[in-house]
Structure formats: C-alpha cells, structure tokens
Amino acid sequence: MSIGRDPGLQPERTRLAWRRTLLTVTAVTVLAVRLASTGDPTGALIAGGTILVWGALLVLCWPRATGTGPARTGGRTLPLVTAGTVVLTLLGVLLVLRGLG
C-alpha cells in the first residue's frame, strides 16, 4: 500500500518565511538609506549599494514569497540570498564606522 505525499501546510509556511525575509530586507534597506542620507558621496554610495542589493533580493525572493515561482531552483536561491544578506551586513558596518569617524 503506497501513501501519497501530503504536504499539509508546508508550502504556506515556506511562502510566509520568504515574505518575512523580504519584509526584513526592506526594513533594513529603508533604515540604511535613512542613515546614509547625510548628503556626502560616501553615504550616497552606501545607500545606492543597499538599494541594488535589495532589488536583487526582491527578484530572487518574490517568486517564492508569492508561490508563483518554481518549487526547485537547483539550490541557487538560498546561497544567493545568504550572499545578499552578508553584503547588507557589510554595508551596515560601513555605515556604523562612517558614523563613528
């Protein structure tokens, strides 16, 4: 007797997790742009970099967050989102160091 796979609520939980990821990245981007908007060129570069990373993460996460993307992407999405998060962290550290100097 073979029983088929019952995904239950797992797909919904996955979509919600990706939505939380997007919300968090959006909040971090807004805060970084706000901190970087002092008018100097360094702040503008950091804000621009933050917006670029946010856009890339939005493109990566949106299909998963809305359930319109493929279930499998060959394992590329998670490493790219991780790399984007690391870049946002480094940009945040640059903002803090710039503010301390």
Side-chain angles (χ1 to χ4, degrees):
M1 175 197 247
S2 175
I3 298 176
R5 183 177 176 276
D6 179 19
L9 295 176
Q10 186 269 331
E12 183 180 3
R13 287 193 307 266
T14 301
R15 280 193 304 278
L16 290 172
W18 283 104
R19 286 178 187 170
R20 283 191 304 271
T21 300
L22 280 174
L23 181 62
T24 302
V25 169
T26 301
V28 167
T29 301
V30 168
L31 290 173
V33 169
R34 183 171 176 244
L35 285 173
S37 63
T38 58
D40 65 339
T42 306
L45 285 174
I46 293 172
T50 303
I51 291 171
L52 286 175
V53 172
W54 173 76
L57 289 174
L58 185 67
V59 167
L60 284 171
C61 296
W62 187 258
R64 295 232 176 181
T66 59
T68 59
R72 300 250 181 225
T73 56
R76 293 182 302 259
T77 304
L78 191 56
L80 289 173
V81 170
T82 302
T85 303
V86 169
V87 170
L88 283 177
T89 302
L90 293 174
L91 288 170
V93 168
L94 282 174
L95 279 174
V96 169
L97 291 176
R98 185 173 83 49
L100 294 176

